[in-house]
Amino acid sequence: MRVDKRKIPAGVIRKHVALALRQEKEELRARNKTFISRERKKEIKEQVLLRLRQRFLPVPGEFNVIWLLEKNEVWFASTQSGMIDLFTEEFLQTFDLRLDQLTPYMLAVTMLDEDALLRLDRLETTQFASADA
């Protein structure tokens, strides 16, 4: 799965917006005006963003997917919750099949007998670092 993003650094945006606002102020001074409305500033920023998006290439993000048909399993290589949500939604729309995440607990449910599951449910979490660290 490939997801392309166009990311423009905030500093570049600020610089180009400041230049555009300076130019707008010079044009206003030529007409004996000094005030730029909030709406006009917003419009200028949107125009700057449109120009910058044309100049910046998208950065591809690739995520590996394996579909094991014989096991009814789909493996998606990402831990980003946003990407997982995007993938499950795309999978549902494309194949009309809903995916369930296989968490360590759910994997244990498929592998352990009833007694082991009861012991697993009684386990307490372990704290590996102190709370004040």
Side-chain angles (χ1 to χ4, degrees):
M1 179 176 169
R2 180 176 160 170
V3 179
D4 294 348
K5 291 184 180 180
R6 284 185 197 268
K7 190 155 189 164
I8 305 167
V12 173
I13 294 171
R14 277 192 302 271
K15 175 187 165 193
H16 285 270
V17 168
L19 290 172
L21 286 173
R22 189 177 309 142
Q23 183 179 358
E24 181 76 11
K25 284 180 184 178
E26 289 173 9
E27 291 172 7
L28 286 176
R29 275 194 212 114
R31 291 185 270 150
N32 293 326
K33 294 183 180 182
T34 57
F35 180 73
I36 302 175
S37 70
R38 177 181 287 167
E39 286 300 316
R40 179 64 183 143
K41 287 179 183 178
K42 187 177 176 183
E43 185 180 313
I44 289 171
K45 184 175 181 177
E46 288 173 5
Q47 290 171 353
V48 166
L49 284 172
L50 284 173
R51 282 195 311 267
L52 288 175
R53 280 192 195 112
Q54 293 172 351
R55 292 175 43 192
F56 279 79
L57 295 174
V59 177
E62 294 183 6
F63 302 91
N64 294 320
V65 179
I66 299 172
W67 190 355
L68 303 169
L69 293 171
E70 62 279 354
K71 290 185 174 184
N72 290 328
E73 292 180 354
V74 176
W75 291 59
F76 181 63
S78 178
T79 56
Q80 300 173 20
S81 59
M83 283 297 124
I84 293 170
D85 292 342
L86 177 66
F87 177 73
T88 54
E89 184 63 33
E90 287 293 322
F91 195 88
L92 176 63
Q93 289 181 5
T94 304
F95 301 108
D96 198 26
L97 296 171
R98 186 169 304 282
L99 294 175
D100 293 323
Q101 252 185 306
L102 185 59
T103 61
Y105 181 82
M106 293 306 294
L107 182 60
V109 167
T110 65
M111 298 170 64
L112 300 176
D113 61 16
E114 229 175 281
D115 291 335
L117 283 175
L118 289 173
R119 288 194 309 273
L120 181 65
D121 287 338
R122 286 192 299 260
L123 289 177
E124 295 292 324
T125 58
T126 302
Q127 186 175 349
F128 291 102
S130 65
D132 32 291

